[in-house]
Amino acid sequence: MHVRFDDFTLDTETRQLRQGDVDRHLSPKAFELLRVLIENRPRVLSKAELHDVLWPSTFVTEATLSSVVAEVRDALGETGREGRYVRTVHRFGYGFCGTATDLTPRAESAGDRVRCWVLWESGQVSLKGGEHLLGRDADVAVWLDSPTVSRHHARLVITADAATIEDLGSTNGTFLRGQRLIAPSQLADGDEIRLGSVVVKFRMVDSAAAMETQRFS
């Protein structure tokens, strides 16, 4: 994996974190933590998951994980518990909240032919083929921080050439084209979806480059 976020690059083959032309030293555990957070972005990983990755079959205290997180944050120039890249979900775990670009060329699979994005005022998330949850819980693909959004509010299902959305019994409902959803409905490029009081836009394009000119409006 070779990714860039802002002026940082992470290369898992050379096991280097660089800021511009400067190497940022990370211990093996800290490098692995940053790798797994970026690889699973934007999903938040539980502390138990991170323990299994970093210390398989070994007991360590929660303070050990906290110290590795602090090392990553220090290398990224972050101060305090919140920063631009590593997000803390209280009593649950950590996630990577920066915007990372994959620099490694790869063959396009059938599931990647349609590229889908969910955009809203405070962010955007790219989605590959499969099922993706939208809501307020830490384990969702599209995390919307609003008390009007249920923990597991709605589900997006993306196939090679189509996408559908389904409400999951949310308290305040999911609305597509002004109508409250009562069954799974097919999405079109540019559709606006309202989840509680949060409005997001769904985009479905043929290439990631086309997304450079798109923004929420």
Side-chain angles (χ1 to χ4, degrees):
M1 181 173 66
H2 190 195
V3 298
R4 180 177 61 232
F5 50 101
D6 293 336
D7 56 343
F8 289 96
T9 57
L10 182 77
D11 190 333
T12 57
E13 290 190 5
T14 62
R15 296 191 66 81
Q16 285 181 299
L17 172 68
R18 297 177 64 84
Q19 185 176 18
D21 296 327
V22 179
D23 283 324
R24 294 299 183 195
H25 174 73
L26 287 174
S27 69
K29 293 298 185 186
F31 187 92
E32 187 67 7
L33 173 63
L34 181 58
R35 180 198 67 79
V36 74
L37 291 179
I38 292 178
E39 193 172 73
N40 286 274
R41 68 188 188 279
R43 187 171 74 88
V44 174
L45 280 74
S46 69
K47 294 177 182 179
E49 287 180 279
L50 293 172
H51 277 106
D52 288 343
V53 171
L54 298 174
W55 300 280
S57 304
T58 303
F59 173 78
V60 296
T61 65
E62 190 169 311
T64 304
L65 175 59
S66 297
S67 68
V68 177
V69 171
E71 182 185 344
V72 170
R73 284 180 166 147
D74 183 63
L76 297 177
E78 297 186 347
T79 58
R81 294 180 57 85
E82 297 297 335
R84 297 176 63 188
Y85 307 113
V86 180
R87 178 165 71 91
T88 300
V89 176
H90 186 55
R91 296 183 179 178
F92 183 82
Y94 303 93
F96 185 83
C97 55
T99 300
T101 302
D102 191 349
L103 302 178
T104 305
R106 62 182 180 87
E108 186 178 62
S109 67
D112 291 333
R113 288 174 187 165
V114 174
R115 301 177 185 271
C116 300
W117 294 67
V118 174
L119 304 93
W120 65 105
E121 289 184 350
S122 59
Q124 63 182 37
V125 174
S126 60
L127 301 173
K128 298 180 181 179
E131 297 188 3
H132 307 278
L133 295 179
L134 297 83
R136 193 164 42 88
D137 209 351
D139 64 349
V140 301
V142 181
W143 185 69
L144 302 170
D145 187 17
S146 169
T148 67
V149 175
S150 297
R151 294 184 181 279
H152 287 179
H153 197 108
R155 178 190 293 115
L156 272 171
V157 179
I158 300 171
T159 63
D161 56 3
T164 59
I165 187 166
E166 173 187 9
D167 184 75
L168 297 177
S170 64
T171 301
N172 295 312
T174 302
F175 295 79
L176 176 64
R177 305 181 199 106
Q179 300 294 316
R180 185 165 185 161
L181 294 181
I182 58 174
S185 297
Q186 188 162 335
L187 288 164
D189 179 42
D191 273 341
E192 288 193 353
I193 307 162
R194 180 162 61 85
L195 304 95
S197 64
V198 178
V199 177
V200 303
K201 180 176 284 188
F202 176 78
R203 299 309 310 262
M204 182 165 60
V205 296
D206 291 333
S207 69
M211 282 305 302
E212 294 180 3
T213 61
Q214 304 296 337
R215 62 180 182 180
F216 183 86
S217 60

